[in-house]
Amino acid sequence: MESRAPRAANRSTVLAHVLTHGPVSRTAIGHETDLSPATVSRIVEQLLDEGLLTETDGAPTTARGRRATQVAIAAGRGVVCGVDVGGSNVRLVVADLAAEPLTGRTVPTPADYDAPRLAQWLADLIVATVGADRERLDCVAVGLPGAVRQGDRAVSNAPNLPQVEDPQFLRLLEKHLGTAVEVDNDSNYALLGELRFGAARDAQTAVMLTIGAGLGAGVAIDRRLFRGRSGLVGEFGHLPAGPLGAPLERIISGSGILARARELGLSFDNAADVFRSADPRLAPVRQYVEQALLVILTAAVVAYEPEVIVLGGGISHALTPDLVRLRGRLHEIVPAAEATVHGAELGDLSGALGAVVAALHTAYRRLGLAEADLARVPQPDALAGCDLPALADRA
């Protein structure tokens, strides 16, 4: 007879395999997990009885058209909501347990609200977006524009939306929603999204840099987020490498770029437009920002030796034409570096979709998935049929 520990491990193995390969037959599960047919059959029947799996007929497997029964996750059993709270916009994605997005929404952030009012507003927005699926809502994960200490969830270093640093914000958000909320730095969630569905899907070690109203960073080692004690891991924007010891974030963030342009007598509403403009007077600004970015890329390479560095955030879109040159300059500085630099494949939805992954991981833990199996789920092609631009632009 199996002891309790191996039974739990085997259950997690089967469930993880279905989540990453489903629909899949019992025979395939056994072949690919090295579990015995009897063990696979027992676990599958248990998961079917619990309503966690559904059973369907697969493709014909014999000349006579005999079909092998396949199982898949019961996707409609619950939903999760991933939320990316930024200084300018809030993006939400609701997905089922198979990670298929059901709806999404992007709305401007009411940055002038105080902490209690912002918490109430966000709770109402989440409820409205989830809509009729609220009774099936399994988990909500919220990415915030600041460092999040995992032990007590204290938020710091959120200059673009300082209200979220107020302990009232999370407490009231959970009170209004009537459920616990997963919370992390928005760049960590953006990296989680790119690890599962985007530019870092094949990487074991990766760094995410989000460049927008501020500068954020996320680090993953062995496909797991590396946060540190206070949530400041990878926050290279604090490095005093600018003129007179100015922090790099002041140079590379949107406000810093716009300030440099104003010093030249040029006014822009959007920092990304500084890179799109053909005005030759802006060349020193672009060079200044590029040099700061190279310092950050170099720091990421020597600190973590990532296979992939992903650039996300509003300003990163304008840097896309310069990525080849940035890669070349990075390898000139660190010839041994194997890191490649890519734009975020998920665009503005990296953070919200990463929050979906975090919420799903919480849901999967409740279903019995072991920590070691979480790095493999959900399956990378869960977004294959999703129109991401439409999901991102929905108001």
Side-chain angles (χ1 to χ4, degrees), residues 28 45 54 96 121 220 225 286 291 332 362:
E45 291 304 319
T54 59
D96 63 22
W121 174 86
L225 292 177
R286 290 191 284 263
Q291 186 60 38
E332 289 174 5
T362 294

Side-chain angles (χ1 to χ4, degrees), residues 180-240:
V181 172
E182 297 288 324
V183 62
D184 205 339
N185 171 260
D186 53 359
S187 295
N188 282 344
Y189 279 165
L191 176 55
L192 195 55
E194 293 292 331
L195 277 170
R196 291 313 308 157
F197 308 123
R201 65 170 64 86
D202 297 320
Q204 291 299 308
T205 302
V207 171
M208 178 94 189
L209 299 173
T210 54
I211 310 168
L215 173 67
V219 177
I221 297 175
D222 293 331
R223 299 192 63 79
R224 295 187 181 184
L225 292 177
F226 179 47
R227 298 182 176 90
R229 287 175 294 181
S230 58
L232 289 171
V233 166
E235 295 294 340
F236 300 112
H238 291 290
L239 293 175

Side-chain angles (χ1 to χ4, degrees), residues 292-356:
L293 179 56
L294 279 169
V295 171
I296 294 168
L297 293 173
T298 303
V301 165
V302 299
Y304 306 111
E305 294 193 68
E307 299 159 56
V308 175
I309 300 175
V310 185
L311 301 184
I315 295 173
S316 70
H317 304 323
L319 296 173
T320 300
D322 302 316
L323 287 181
V324 173
R325 188 176 72 257
L326 282 169
R327 291 176 198 139
R329 291 198 61 189
L330 178 61
H331 285 283
E332 289 174 5
I333 297 168
V334 191
E338 298 181 357
T340 57
V341 183
H342 300 276
E345 289 187 12
L346 303 180
D348 292 333
L349 284 178
S350 296
L353 289 170
V356 164

Side-chain angles (χ1 to χ4, degrees), residues 47-94:
L47 294 172
L48 286 168
D49 289 344
E50 293 176 19
L52 300 182
L53 300 183
T54 59
E55 203 165 25
T56 60
D57 287 335
T61 58
T62 68
R64 296 182 180 181
R66 184 177 178 183
R67 296 175 181 271
T69 301
Q70 296 184 323
V71 292
I73 190 71
R77 176 187 173 97
V79 301
V80 299
C81 183
V83 185
D84 180 19
V85 178
S88 301
N89 292 291
V90 174
R91 294 181 172 87
L92 305 90
V93 174
V94 179

Side-chain angles (χ1 to χ4, degrees), residues 156-176:
S156 61
N157 192 37
N160 298 304
L161 200 64
Q163 304 92 309
V164 301
E165 297 185 25
D166 188 331
Q168 289 187 91
F169 173 75
L170 282 178
R171 180 175 58 79
L172 291 174
L173 177 61
E174 291 182 328
K175 178 181 178 181
H176 296 320

